Amino acid sequence: MSKDKDERKRSHLRLVVNNAENRSSRPSAAEQEFVPLEELIANRDLFRSAFYRGMGRLQIKGYQQLERFLANRGAPYGIDPVHGKVMVLPAGDVSPEALEYGSPQDELLLSITEDAGGSGLCFSLEMILPYFSEDDAVMEEALLFAPVLQYGALFLEENPHDGMLDLIYRLAVPLFPPVLTTRLAERMFSIFSFELKETFLALSDYPEG
C-alpha cells in the first residue's frame, strides 16, 4: 500500500497554465470553432441578439439584470451564444487568487438556467481550477484533500477535449421568486471569491512527494 502511495505522489497534482482551446470550460463540438474570451468581450453587442434568441421571458429578464450588474461593476464580460449560452469573465476579475495560482486565461462562467425541478431558475458561477494530473487517482485525492465549502461545491468532470479530469468549483442558488437582484449577485461574487481563495490555499499545500 505504501508503494502505491509513493507512486501517486510521484505523479502529484500540478498547477497548469490553461490552454484555452484544450482545457476550456466552454467545450465546443468538433464543428464549432472556439471563440477566445477577448473576442467575446469585444463583440458582445454583436453576439447579443443570437444569445437571447429562443430564451424564455424570465431567463431573458435574469440575464438582462446580470448584464446591468456586470456593466455597473465595470467588469470585462463576454457573451457566448454558441457554447451553452453563458456569460464569461476573466476569473481574476473576481478572484485575485485565480491570477496568483492560475493564469489570465482562466475563465469564470455565469449562467441562468432552468432549475432541476423545472419550477424556476438557477443562477450559477463556475470555474475550472488550474490544477491537473494525468493520474485520475491523484485528482480524486485532490478533491478529498480540498476544503469542504459552506456554499459552493467542488467536483470532478471529464474534459471532453483530452479525456482528463478537471477539478471544478461551482456556486449555484435558485432564483425564487425568479428575479436576480444586485444584492444577490454581489453576495454570490463575494462568496465565490472567498471560497475560491480557501480552495487555492488548501490545494497549494497538497503533498508533492
Side-chain angles (χ1 to χ4, degrees):
M1 185 177 290
S2 62
K3 183 180 179 183
D4 291 341
K5 209 168 184 183
D6 289 342
E7 288 298 326
R8 288 183 183 179
K9 283 187 176 181
R10 273 198 281 273
S11 59
H12 63 76
L13 191 70
R14 300 184 295 278
L15 275 169
V16 59
V17 176
N18 288 348
N19 180 315
E21 294 182 2
N22 293 330
R23 302 198 62 76
S24 170
S25 48
R26 292 183 285 126
S28 60
E31 68 278 6
Q32 294 174 338
E33 183 180 350
F34 180 83
V35 184
L37 176 55
E38 295 76 12
E39 188 175 331
L40 296 182
I41 295 171
N43 295 301
R44 65 177 176 235
D45 291 337
L46 184 65
F47 295 153
R48 188 170 283 110
S49 60
F51 181 81
Y52 284 105
R53 189 178 300 125
M55 278 189 194
R57 182 178 60 85
L58 292 177
Q59 191 179 10
I60 288 174
K61 186 176 180 181
Y63 270 121
Q64 288 174 338
Q65 286 284 99
L66 181 56
E67 280 210 74
R68 281 193 287 273
F69 170 76
L70 294 172
N72 289 336
R73 277 176 60 98
Y77 72 96
I79 293 177
D80 191 340
V82 178
H83 308 102
K85 292 198 173 184
V86 292
M87 291 187 178
V88 191
L89 272 172
D93 185 70
V94 181
S95 167
E97 288 74 26
L99 284 177
E100 181 181 352
Y101 293 95
S103 81
Q105 293 179 354
D106 292 326
E107 298 177 348
L108 165 60
L109 303 187
L110 309 175
S111 64
I112 297 174
T113 55
E114 188 175 283
D115 68 19
S119 57
L121 298 174
C122 179
F123 174 41
S124 66
L125 296 78
E126 180 176 305
M127 177 187 173
I128 291 181
L129 301 186
Y131 295 91
F132 88 105
S133 172
E134 295 177 1
D135 185 344
D136 288 355
V138 173
M139 294 298 288
E140 290 164 2
E141 287 186 357
L143 178 63
L144 295 175
F145 187 86
V148 176
L149 302 170
Q150 186 174 11
Y151 295 102
L154 294 166
F155 60 96
L156 291 172
E157 185 172 274
E158 184 177 294
N159 190 298
H161 295 289
D162 54 21
M164 290 171 56
L165 292 178
D166 286 328
L167 183 58
I168 298 173
Y169 168 82
R170 178 184 293 156
L171 175 63
V173 294
L175 298 178
F176 185 80
V179 176
L180 177 66
T181 65
T182 297
R183 190 171 182 179
L184 175 59
E186 286 176 345
R187 181 66 177 142
M188 289 275 284
F189 273 60
S190 175
I191 292 170
F192 177 91
S193 180
F194 176 79
E195 292 197 338
L196 207 57
K197 176 182 178 180
E198 293 295 296
T199 302
F200 278 130
L201 291 176
L203 289 176
S204 67
D205 291 331
Y206 186 83
E208 296 189 358

